């Protein structure tokens, strides 16, 4: 039998709907992480000997966060249906931890964004420095093809033929490439943070209502 009555029933079902949306949000985060990990352009640019791994470390963290959000969303739905104070309190605590971790990850990513870009730029620059290195030449060609760019900040006739001289230099193209991906992650993170705040409010209200109903009984 339901322990809450009246308006709290509405909160209960709203919390259930929220948790389903939160579960879908976790699925979205997981999907974005898989996209970044297996996107052909990203994989081609960031694989190979000497390639920087900072970006992929952040992607693995994103994959873990998405999986955790799906698990928490599932238990939140169960806690709302069962009207369990213990599950709802655990759900609130998990949301608070994930929210804090998301804020920390966002700050870390913002602070280290330039470092990630610089590492990739250095990796590209090192690949075009030694023209006798076959692997370096192959890496440079991958960057040129994927980013539709050619050369560094100064024109290099031996690296870029005349027909490619008007293309954007690869150092600027690398910056634009990562900014576009990080912006997508940022927008999704802001949206999910808003959803989590609503979920924490609903779970706290419902948990208090369940406790009050038990005291009355």
């Amino acid at each position: 039998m339901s322990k809450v009555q009246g308006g709290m029933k509405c909160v209960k079902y709203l919390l259930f709907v929220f948790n389903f949306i939160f579960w879908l949000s976790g699925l979205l985060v997981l999907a974005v992480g898989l996209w970044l990990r297996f996107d052909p352009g990203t994989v081609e640019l960031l694989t190979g000997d000497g390639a920087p791994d900072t970006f992929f470390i952040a992607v693995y963290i994103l994959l873990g966060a998405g999986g955790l959000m799906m698990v928490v969303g599932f238990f939140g739905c169960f806690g709302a249906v069962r009207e369990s104070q213990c599950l709802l309190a655990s759900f609130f605590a998990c949301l608070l931890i994930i929210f804090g971790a998301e804020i920390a990850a966002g700050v870390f990513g913002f602070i280290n964004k330039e470092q990630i870009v610089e590492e990739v730029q250095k990796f590209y620059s090192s690949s075009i420095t030694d023209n006798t290195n076959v692997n370096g030449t192959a890496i440079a060609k991958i960057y040129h093809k994927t980013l539709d760019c050619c050369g560094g900040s100064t024109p290099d006739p031996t690296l870029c033929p005349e027909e490619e001289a008007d293309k954007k230099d690869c150092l600027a193209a690398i910056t634009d490439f990562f900014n576009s991906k990080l912006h997508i992650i940022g927008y999704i993170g802001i949206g999910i943070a808003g959803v989590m705040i609503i979920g924490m409010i609903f779970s706290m209200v419902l948990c208090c209502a369940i406790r009050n109903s038990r005291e009355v009984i």
Side-chain angles (χ1 to χ4, degrees), residues 148-168:
D148 192 27
C149 64
C150 191
S153 55
T154 58
D156 186 349
T158 61
L159 184 65
C160 304
E162 290 185 5
E163 60 269 18
E164 296 185 359
D166 59 340
K167 286 187 177 181
K168 180 187 293 185

Side-chain angles (χ1 to χ4, degrees), residues 73-114:
F74 173 79
F75 282 111
C77 287
F78 189 71
V81 171
R82 298 284 297 177
E83 297 183 14
S84 168
Q85 275 187 287
C86 181
L87 286 175
L88 288 173
S90 299
F91 170 72
F92 178 87
C94 288
L95 276 188
L96 191 60
I97 292 171
I98 294 174
F99 181 77
E102 182 179 336
I103 296 298
V107 172
F108 176 82
F110 179 78
I111 293 174
N112 290 276
K113 182 182 73 171
E114 298 300 328

Side-chain angles (χ1 to χ4, degrees), residues 137-195:
T137 303
I139 291 170
K141 288 182 178 179
I142 290 173
Y143 275 75
H144 296 170
K145 178 182 177 182
T146 304
L147 301 179
D148 192 27
C149 64
C150 191
S153 55
T154 58
D156 186 349
T158 61
L159 184 65
C160 304
E162 290 185 5
E163 60 269 18
E164 296 185 359
D166 59 340
K167 286 187 177 181
K168 180 187 293 185
D169 71 86
C170 288
L171 299 183
I174 288 170
T175 301
D176 294 341
F177 177 80
F178 281 99
N179 281 341
S180 64
K181 290 188 179 295
L182 292 174
H183 284 161
I184 292 173
I185 298 174
Y187 294 143
I188 293 175
I190 292 172
I192 291 175
V195 171

Side-chain angles (χ1 to χ4, degrees), residues 11-21 76-78 80-81:
V11 174
K12 169 184 172 179
Y13 292 119
L14 283 175
L15 183 60
F16 178 84
V17 172
F18 160 80
N19 279 292
F20 181 70
I21 295 174
C77 287
F78 189 71
V81 171

